Amino acid sequence: MRPAYTPTFRRQMVDLVRAGAEPTQLAQQLGPSAETIRNWVRQADRNERHQLAVPISILRDELAKLRLENRRLREERDILAKAFALFARHPSYTSGD
């Protein structure tokens, strides 16, 4: 019967492999087979790619919204600047006369 390995133990094995340890050596020293360790590393890679994909799509959507808002705010700023310049040249517009 295969022993059950805790998620913490699996994460430590993945970290060790990523730091340069050989799965074969870890298997000899710590118990799980080299192929099991390699599987854990592959699964961790897949999980991390999936986790990154979700936030990136959310960030893209937010970036698109912010770009639209930025464009709208620039247009409003330009309109206000033109209005200010017009009123500055013709103070009678604001005096109520």
Side-chain angles (χ1 to χ4, degrees):
M1 174 135 207
R2 292 178 20 194
Y5 296 103
T6 66
T8 301
F9 179 81
R10 291 176 185 203
R11 184 74 229 169
Q12 289 171 340
M13 294 298 102
V14 169
D15 291 343
L16 287 170
V17 170
R18 288 179 176 170
E22 289 294 324
T24 308
Q25 289 177 330
L26 293 173
Q28 291 171 352
Q29 296 169 356
L30 301 171
S33 71
E35 188 58 31
T36 297
I37 296 170
R38 285 187 200 95
N39 288 339
W40 291 343
V41 172
R42 281 192 291 273
Q43 185 62 50
D45 290 343
R46 281 192 298 272
N47 291 347
E48 289 167 13
R49 278 193 302 273
H50 177 70
Q51 288 172 354
L52 290 176
V54 173
I56 288 172
S57 65
I58 292 170
L59 290 175
R60 278 192 199 119
D61 291 345
E62 183 68 16
L63 180 59
K65 289 176 189 175
L66 290 172
R67 284 181 173 161
L68 283 172
E69 182 180 4
N70 195 14
R71 184 178 333 139
R72 183 184 56 80
L73 290 171
R74 286 176 193 242
E75 290 171 359
E76 289 176 5
R77 180 201 61 198
D78 292 344
I79 291 168
L80 289 172
K82 289 175 186 176
F84 178 77
L86 179 64
F87 290 133
R89 279 182 282 173
H90 303 287
S92 61
Y93 287 141
T94 59
S95 66
D97 294 335

